[in-house]
Amino acid sequence: MKHAIEVRGLVKSFGEVRALDGVTLAAAPGTVLGVLGPNGAGKTTAVRVLSTLTSPDAGTARVLGHDVAAEARKVRERIGLTGQYAGLDPNLSGEQNLVLIARLLGASRRQARQRAHELIERFDLAHAATRAAAKYSGGMRRRLDLAASIVRRPEVLFLDEPTTGLDPQSRGGLWEIVRELVAEGTTVLLTTQYLEEADQLAHAIAVIDHGRVIASGTPSELKQTVGGLVLRLSPTRPEAAEQLVQLAEWAAGASARREDGAVVVPVAHAGEAQAVMARIGQAGVDLAGFGLHEPTLDEVFLSLTGHRTETDHQQKTKELTA
Amino acid sequence: MTALASTGPRPTTTWNTTRGPLGQSASMAARSLASIKHYPAQLVEFFMIPLMILLSITFFMGGQMMGSWQDFLQYAGPTIIAMGLFFAITSTGMGLYGDIKEGVFDRLTAMPVSRFALLAGRVAADMVKHAWALLVVGAVAFAIGYRAEGGAAGTAAAAGALLLFLFAVSWTMALVGLTAKSEEQIQTWMISLLMPLAYTSTIFVEKDTLPGPVQWWAQVNPMTALADTMRMFLGGGSPGAETLALLAWCAAILAVFVPLSLRAYRRKLTN
């Protein structure tokens, strides 16, 4: 079997809305496929089709060689799912949640307790094992949720925005767990809004927008389509922006653009940013601030589609006015 | 940084316990009942409504309806308990509605678990609650003077008939819970369907006292079959047409509402 996940021309509509409009994806066994896109791009629908929760209108989706529509039962035997909203029983303790899942999957009482215990240790939940899941923090709930999806060690694991809303520390912890699972040979399909997350975890990335894959490749291939890094310059006087654009273009040989009073310069590497900064220093233009960062999802989007992701745009505006 | 090569064989789990839909239903039922451990006050809540219905109707209306509340208790006590528990089947609808809203069913649906078990587990858990409430309220009825001529065996048979009926009608509420748009909607269904059904039967009154057209309906009403069957067992009689009617109703309700509930489940969870 060449691909653990193989999706061709997947179409799914809800009334007038075409949530998936011909999506094609593939993931090799034992790798992480990152599906990157803004809210409403179709990520969750894709995960729901692959985890047998939604049947597609057209196209085919195979998981471990089984068609998700025709052989749903066989697919369910071998996958794990962590949805965007915690699939836990809030009235049960962390341990009871895991025991329930193990029992439903055919474990004896003893096996179920043993597996729950293992997972609770591994996911650092021992201190809260008997507490109701409703009283868990966001990070703990995500860990328990992930634990619940690997109770029977699935061969393919679907994670739908597993770290949305988590603080950076919890996010890092979750990434660590995903890496371990992949090291054990699990194939993971992960959806995310964060380029950094896809970059950290994924062997291959598919960028989707309006239900279509608009770019795919390895993280480095994708970043090359945007440029290596992004230098953002905020002049003290707004009138100086135009001068900054000219200086940056002259120094970096790239096309700088103005954005909400700031100037954004795509650069290939840090050295190029340094050259731009030196040039600005020589010209004596005062800066209120500057920053060098990896291209964001927004910038990948802008370069791929010519339009922005709404969430990122709002965030950026907030950062600038802050 | 992202090159995560596989480093060895994937650990596998071999669980081969054969647990069919019934075992899975039991796990799901245990899950629904587990919240009692966290909120033990629920044990009282389960029987409060049927208890209050029994006591208030018996003491405040019984005298006027039959001369003395003692006579009324003897005639209608058990069937009023049945009506109180009948109203409690709304919990099946509310429970399923809540389960679906919380997202736990999304995960369960993507697992190789019987769909029937996911619904039957909730119904089974509610049956345990109804049995508990029946035990408590039945004991209160005995304490204030109710006596069954049929003795312990007759009482057990009447309780069995009631629980069978509750099991069947709980599936109508399962369908309501799976298709309702809001919790208020479930309450509305309860009031507008269950109450008229109860009041047009022989739960409280003898059939002859009902107005003409209602008499025909009271005759076929499943609650009448239930009330008559309970009275027959409690009176020490032997099963006849009323018991057959009750069994037929239960079979018919299950035959219609179990498949409809499963269909509603598929539509709701796998759209």
Side-chain angles (χ1 to χ4, degrees):
Chain A
M1 184 179 48
K2 197 168 163 245
H3 297 296
I5 300 169
E6 198 174 4
V7 174
R8 280 213 199 108
L10 214 55
V11 175
K12 178 70 186 180
S13 301
F14 297 103
E16 297 286 291
V17 183
R18 232 170 149 81
L20 297 177
D21 193 8
V23 166
T24 296
L25 300 167
T31 66
V32 179
L33 171 64
V35 175
L36 189 66
N39 282 332
K43 301 190 298 293
T44 297
T45 307
V47 167
R48 286 181 61 86
V49 169
L50 284 164
S51 56
T52 76
L53 292 177
T54 296
S55 46
D57 298 337
T60 58
R62 302 181 82 82
V63 174
L64 297 161
H66 299 298
D67 187 279
V68 294
E71 301 168 285
R73 178 95 197 176
K74 282 187 175 144
V75 172
R76 288 184 199 123
E77 295 277 355
R78 299 170 73 179
I79 63 166
L81 167 68
T82 293
Q84 204 168 339
Y85 302 100
L88 301 166
D89 186 326
N91 293 320
L92 297 187
S93 70
E95 193 176 8
Q96 286 172 323
N97 264 293
L98 298 176
V99 167
L100 169 69
I101 303 232
R103 290 286 284 152
L104 288 173
L105 292 172
S108 70
R109 267 176 226 282
R110 200 179 56 79
Q111 287 169 327
R113 269 199 301 271
Q114 192 191 341
R115 181 66 178 144
H117 186 73
E118 267 171 42
L119 288 167
I120 276 172
E121 288 294 322
R122 177 174 182 181
F123 285 71
D124 195 19
L125 292 167
H127 60 290
T130 56
R131 203 187 303 166
K135 297 187 175 128
Y136 278 28
S137 71
M140 285 159 69
R141 210 172 301 148
R142 287 290 184 167
R143 290 210 298 280
L144 180 61
D145 207 18
L146 188 53
S149 63
I150 61 162
V151 164
R152 206 172 54 169
R153 300 190 174 91
E155 292 160 70
V156 173
L157 181 59
F158 296 103
L159 304 174
D160 194 9
E161 300 201 14
T163 65
T164 296
L166 286 190
D167 59 74
Q169 200 194 342
S170 308
R171 177 171 298 168
L174 224 87
W175 288 353
E176 220 30 67
I177 294 167
V178 173
R179 286 196 188 99
E180 282 172 32
L181 291 170
V182 174
E184 290 169 8
T186 311
T187 307
V188 175
L189 184 148
L190 162 119
T191 75
T192 183
Q193 297 192 44
Y194 309 116
L195 183 67
E196 190 198 359
E197 184 158 286
D199 195 14
Q200 285 281 329
L201 296 173
H203 300 90
I205 296 178
V207 182
I208 71 171
D209 187 33
H210 298 306
R212 287 174 170 279
V213 176
I214 52 172
S216 57
T218 65
S220 53
E221 282 169 356
L222 270 180
K223 273 189 274 181
Q224 276 162 21
T225 67
V226 193
L229 295 165
V230 176
L231 177 64
R232 174 179 288 270
L233 307 162
S234 308
T236 316
R237 294 173 301 111
E239 314 87 83
E242 196 44 52
Q243 193 189 351
L244 282 178
V245 169
Q246 282 167 13
L247 288 168
E249 287 187 345
W250 191 80
S255 57
R257 64 176 190 275
R258 296 172 66 165
E259 197 180 286
D260 305 320
V263 173
V264 173
V265 192
V267 291
H269 48 79
E272 216 171 82
Q274 216 172 351
V276 174
M277 293 304 293
R279 185 75 208 141
I280 292 167
Q282 280 166 21
V285 180
D286 285 338
L287 293 181
F290 63 91
L292 183 64
H293 59 88
E294 300 232 301
T296 59
L297 173 59
D298 193 35
E299 280 141 358
V300 173
F301 258 79
L302 191 60
S303 88
L304 288 171
T305 66
H307 75 85
R308 312 188 144 273
T309 69
E310 271 173 31
T311 46
D312 275 27
H313 181 57
Q314 284 155 1
Q315 257 168 24
K316 197 142 293 158
T317 315
K318 233 186 269 168
E319 277 164 29
L320 280 165
T321 50
Chain B
M1 168 170 60
T2 53
L4 294 165
S6 302
T7 59
R10 224 177 51 84
T12 50
T13 303
T14 45
W15 290 334
N16 41 22
T17 323
T18 319
R19 296 187 73 233
L22 288 182
Q24 292 175 342
S25 303
S27 292
M28 288 303 292
R31 164 212 167 245
S32 300
L33 293 171
S35 65
I36 297 172
K37 209 173 129 193
H38 293 282
Y39 311 102
Q42 283 180 299
L43 284 176
V44 176
E45 286 164 19
F46 296 148
F47 64 70
M48 279 315 277
I49 291 178
L51 180 66
M52 286 304 140
I53 289 177
L54 173 71
L55 295 181
S56 52
I57 294 182
T58 303
F59 290 137
F60 305 139
M61 289 159 65
Q64 191 179 19
M65 282 168 97
M66 279 196 172
S68 80
W69 67 263
Q70 286 88 348
D71 287 348
F72 183 73
L73 177 69
Q74 200 58 34
Y75 175 74
T79 48
I80 289 173
I81 296 175
M83 186 185 74
L85 288 173
F86 180 56
F87 292 161
I89 62 170
T90 346
S91 69
T92 304
M94 299 289 260
L96 278 174
Y97 181 82
D99 283 341
I100 287 164
K101 216 167 64 175
E102 269 154 14
V104 59
F105 269 42
D106 258 351
R107 156 160 296 133
L108 298 175
T109 305
M111 287 177 15
V113 175
S114 141
R115 268 71 180 126
F116 172 78
L118 295 178
L119 303 183
R122 168 60 67 181
V123 173
D126 286 339
M127 291 312 296
V128 173
K129 296 174 190 174
H130 298 327
W132 160 250
L134 177 58
L135 195 70
V136 173
V137 184
V140 170
F142 186 81
I144 61 175
Y146 176 80
R147 292 294 178 271
E149 287 163 43
T155 308
L162 172 56
L163 290 174
L164 173 71
F165 179 74
L166 291 175
F167 176 74
V169 289
S170 286
W171 285 94
T172 66
M173 281 296 130
L175 180 65
V176 170
L178 288 164
T179 48
K181 301 273 189 292
S182 69
E183 287 171 14
E184 289 75 18
Q185 210 179 11
I186 302 175
Q187 298 281 11
T188 310
W189 273 96
M190 183 206 115
I191 301 292
S192 54
L193 273 180
L194 305 193
M195 290 205 20
L197 205 60
Y199 289 131
T200 57
S201 71
T202 57
I203 287 269
F204 295 112
V205 293
E206 285 159 29
K207 201 169 61 216
D208 309 338
T209 64
L210 291 164
V214 184
Q215 267 189 36
W216 173 84
W217 166 242
Q219 181 68 43
V220 294
N221 188 334
M223 296 287 295
T224 296
L226 173 68
D228 291 352
T229 302
M230 288 177 69
R231 284 198 184 100
M232 176 278 297
F233 279 128
L234 291 164
S238 36
E242 72 295 312
T243 314
L244 274 181
L246 178 66
L247 291 175
W249 265 114
C250 289
I253 291 168
L254 288 171
V256 172
F257 284 92
V258 174
L260 280 182
S261 298
L262 285 168
R263 194 180 69 146
Y265 178 84
R266 271 194 299 274
R267 286 197 176 172
K268 188 99 176 182
L269 271 296
T270 58
N271 51 9

